[in-house]
Amino acid sequence: MYEHFFGFRENPFSLIPDPAFLFLGRQHSTAYSLLEYGVLTQAGFTVITGEIGCGKTTLIRHLLNQLPERVTVGLISNTHRCFDNLLEWVLMSFGVDYKAKSAVSLYESFVDFLIVQYGSRRPTILVIDEAQNLDPVALEELRTLSNVNADKDQILQIVLVGQPELKALLNRPELRQFAQRVVGHYHLGPLAEDETESYIRHRLAHAGCNREVFTPEACRQIHCHSGGIPRLINLLCDMTLVYAYADEVEIVGADLVNAVVDDRATGIGAAIGDESGPSTAAPRARSGAGHTTQTPGTRQSVPQRQAPANAGTGKSQVLPTFSGLPGQPSDRGTPFNTMLVKKSRQLDSAGDAADRNNRPKQTDGAVRSTIEKAMARNKPGAKRSS
């Protein structure tokens, strides 16, 4: 709805994974190089893990788009804990008939399919997304399927993509044979503060906007509130642009970002809480101290807020040692530490962030009304207010 106002060709912050918007920062570049290495060297297993919303699926879709047509790819993206027969799902992903067949017939069909692909010089890759939902029995079945080899060639390559729970699963004693087959593993963590600004500008440029829309201070606040998780960055940027469009603000500052977070404490705040884990911080009260800044195009001043004092702090949790630190290649001797951060907010009975100075705020209903008015103003032929 705000694309025409800001001059975008398309929505730059859609939550749908789109490889065209892939931002190859330090971590994603390394993870993609590892995936390419696994494909070129016919690695048995390659594992990519990462926090929820860190761009794992987008990275895999980019890889699939870059593969040559001669590569045969099977994709399983709807994994769950109740797979009755994993081999049936594997055959379905490759377009091989699997219905009304015995276990022996299914395996025979699978082997025959791989032999045909190998004879046609077509590498075969199986990609399983959300692999943390697989149980040890299913993973062991995958390992046995990878035993189909031809001389020195690995006929089937398998890429597993999943949340951090996948690392814990692969560290279980009964899966040590599986873990030894993993050639490459990389864990994607949140973006750093400087990468968050580059990420935002990258998506804006891809959407057709090469001017400044978010100030550096706004980008720092977006990083603070999102924790550097790309999906939450998209969510917060999208809603901030809606607010800016409603008030005809062409350049978004930190004060507007903070206002969006406070006004939608049960929206974006709840999402951040879900991603970051249990709260370890005291509620943040909105302060009335400090000066106010006038954002161009707004009808009222917005109080400038300080960054939460508890940002970046929290309890450490030591996870199994299948991987190293976030954003580093696998190192079995290095424990993986993750910081769980949640920004709590003081809420009033109406669900809005408490305002101790009782300043008028735009609730969701008021915002909708403002948006409708702004849409009317921006219709073709409508006169723009001075």
Side-chain angles (χ1 to χ4, degrees), residues 225-284:
H225 292 300
S226 68
I229 302 295
R231 182 181 298 164
L232 296 182
I233 294 174
N234 289 356
L235 186 63
L236 183 52
C237 285
D238 179 66
M239 187 51 56
T240 302
L241 289 177
V242 172
Y243 275 49
Y245 168 70
D247 283 340
E248 297 184 296
V249 176
E250 295 185 354
I251 300 179
V252 175
D255 46 7
L256 184 56
V257 174
N258 286 325
V260 171
V261 172
D262 284 344
D263 287 350
R264 299 185 61 85
T266 57
I268 180 67
I272 292 176
D274 291 341
E275 300 285 356
S276 303
S279 173
T280 58
R284 178 170 64 95

Side-chain angles (χ1 to χ4, degrees), residues 8 12 48 54-55 86 92 135 158 160 167 171 206 211 222 225 233 240-241 253-255 272 275 296 319 353 365 384:
F8 302 149
I48 300 294
C54 277
L86 179 63
M92 183 187 68
D135 59 23
I158 300 177
L160 298 182
K167 293 186 299 177
N171 273 296
H206 186 78
R211 66 176 180 84
I222 290 170
H225 292 300
I233 294 174
T240 302
L241 289 177
D255 46 7
I272 292 176
E275 300 285 356
L319 298 180
R384 297 289 298 271

Side-chain angles (χ1 to χ4, degrees), residues 191-198 219-220 223:
L191 300 178
E193 183 177 300
D194 62 321
E195 287 184 308
T196 297
E197 182 173 355
S198 299
C219 293
R220 282 193 289 270
H223 174 80

